[in-house]
Amino acid sequence: MKKITLAVLALVGMAAVPATAQDLAVKINGEIGSVTVETVNGRVEIMRNQDLEATINPSYARTSRQCPPFCVQPMQAAPGVTTVAEVELLKFIDRGGKLIDSRTLEWHLDGTIPSAINMPYTQMASRLNEVGCTGGEGRWDCSQSEEVLLFCNGPWCGQSPMAIKAMLREGFPAEKIFYYRGGMQAWHSLGLTVVEGEM
């Protein structure tokens, strides 16, 4: 059974879930208490953590990590790629967009954003068929590719930027790539829903 450990942020225009949402002490915004997304394990209600004493997961509390490899990433991962925050991410998954956790498997299994699939940055160039490209590594045709939104551990994590650069090198259109720079560190700091990742 997959556990939900934290809770999520949403936006105006997304379907509010249950009537009990009005009873929540910590809502997503003034109009929305929670949002529901489809995952491989069924529907998951995304809400902010209701514990007013909750603190960030210690895995994401450290302010300093050795650079390299944990260097602060630029706001734009690459020319033509759009950087987004939580509200835009939720709009994206609400309309059925493909959310990609580009971290290595062990990070993904430890906790991820509901509905995210794991495509580690080290495998991205060989797995573009999973996002609508045809062909193979070094000869992909991505003219019919899907829009994708990638994230990793946070502003100090280079896994998504490396995945994005690999995609662009293989011919994936930049305008179909979105980058959640805040990643899991920002997600956790806002008290948003986290689920165990899938293999």
Side-chain angles (χ1 to χ4, degrees):
M1 182 171 116
K2 300 302 171 195
K3 64 182 180 181
I4 298 178
T5 59
L6 297 174
V8 184
L9 174 76
L11 47 124
V12 176
M14 292 180 70
V17 179
T20 58
Q22 289 84 2
D23 300 328
L24 296 174
V26 182
K27 296 180 181 179
I28 292 168
N29 64 23
E31 299 176 12
I32 300 170
S34 64
V35 172
T36 299
V37 297
E38 291 294 331
T39 72
V40 295
N41 294 309
R43 296 169 66 86
V44 172
E45 184 178 6
I46 299 174
M47 63 166 68
R48 293 187 61 203
N49 191 325
Q50 297 300 296
D51 178 0
L52 298 177
E53 301 299 317
T55 60
I56 192 168
N57 177 320
S59 296
Y60 296 95
R62 288 180 24 208
T63 61
S64 301
R65 297 171 189 269
Q66 188 172 353
C67 170
F70 304 108
C71 302
V72 175
Q73 300 299 308
M75 186 58 72
Q76 187 178 33
V81 173
T82 302
T83 303
V84 300
E86 296 76 23
V87 170
E88 294 84 7
L89 185 153
L90 287 166
K91 286 180 181 178
F92 183 83
I93 61 175
D94 185 53
R95 69 175 201 261
K98 188 162 280 187
L99 181 61
I100 297 175
D101 183 341
S102 61
R103 300 174 300 161
T104 56
L105 183 60
E106 60 275 5
W107 279 103
H108 174 74
L109 293 175
D110 193 44
T112 193
I113 298 171
S115 81
I117 61 165
N118 185 229
M119 291 178 71
Y121 75 100
T122 55
Q123 302 172 10
M124 190 60 70
S126 62
R127 293 179 59 184
L128 292 177
N129 58 307
E130 296 175 40
V131 290
C133 298
T134 57
E137 193 168 351
R139 54 181 176 22
W140 290 108
D141 174 2
C142 296
S143 59
Q144 301 301 312
S145 61
E146 303 175 56
E147 287 189 337
V148 295
L149 194 156
L150 286 77
F151 69 93
C152 51
N153 280 320
W156 45 268
C157 180
Q159 294 177 81
S160 289
M162 284 189 278
I164 289 167
K165 288 175 180 132
M167 295 173 77
L168 294 171
R169 185 182 63 242
E170 295 292 327
F172 202 94
E175 66 275 9
K176 291 188 175 184
I177 302 173
F178 298 87
Y179 169 46
Y180 174 40
R181 182 178 179 266
M184 292 305 296
Q185 186 167 35
W187 198 258
H188 276 281
S189 73
L190 293 171
L192 305 177
T193 300
V194 174
V195 295
E196 291 179 353
E198 292 287 322
M199 290 185 75

